[in-house]
Amino acid sequence: APAPTAAAGAASATVVIKDFAFSHATMRPGATVTVTNRDGVSHTVTADANAFNTGPLKAGASVTLRAPTKPGTYTFFCAIHPDMKGTLVVK
C-alpha cells in the first residue's frame, strides 16, 4: 500500500486513487481532504458508516471533502469496485 500522504494530525491531507487502491491518510478532526483519482476509470470514496461519500469521481478528477469531526478510524470503499478498501484516521 502507498505510504501515508499527511503527517499525523495534519490540517489537510490527500487520498490518491491509483492502480485500484487508495492511499491512507491521517489528519485532525474536520481537516480538508483532497481525493484525486489517478486511475483510468471512475471510483468513489464511500465511508462504511456514511460519514462521507464523494460520489463517482471520474478519471483524473479531484474533489475536496471534510474529515469527520469525531476522532477515530473510518473505513471506506469504492461503491463501483467494492474490493477497493481504505482507511482515514482522524486524531
Side-chain angles (χ1 to χ4, degrees):
T5 56
S12 64
T14 301
V15 173
V16 176
I17 305 168
K18 186 174 179 184
D19 299 328
F20 285 80
F22 298 106
S23 64
H24 300 282
T26 300
M27 74 231 37
R28 290 193 308 232
T32 301
V33 182
T34 301
V35 179
T36 301
N37 182 359
R38 293 195 181 145
D39 269 346
V41 298
S42 295
H43 293 293
T44 73
V45 174
T46 305
D48 293 337
N50 295 319
F52 48 88
N53 185 354
T54 62
L57 187 60
K58 293 182 180 180
S62 293
V63 67
T64 301
L65 56 93
R66 287 270 176 210
T69 56
K70 182 179 177 185
T73 299
Y74 295 84
T75 54
F76 58 88
F77 64 98
C78 173
I80 302 166
H81 309 98
D83 288 342
M84 291 176 59
K85 299 180 188 308
T87 305
L88 195 72
V89 178
V90 178
K91 61 180 176 176

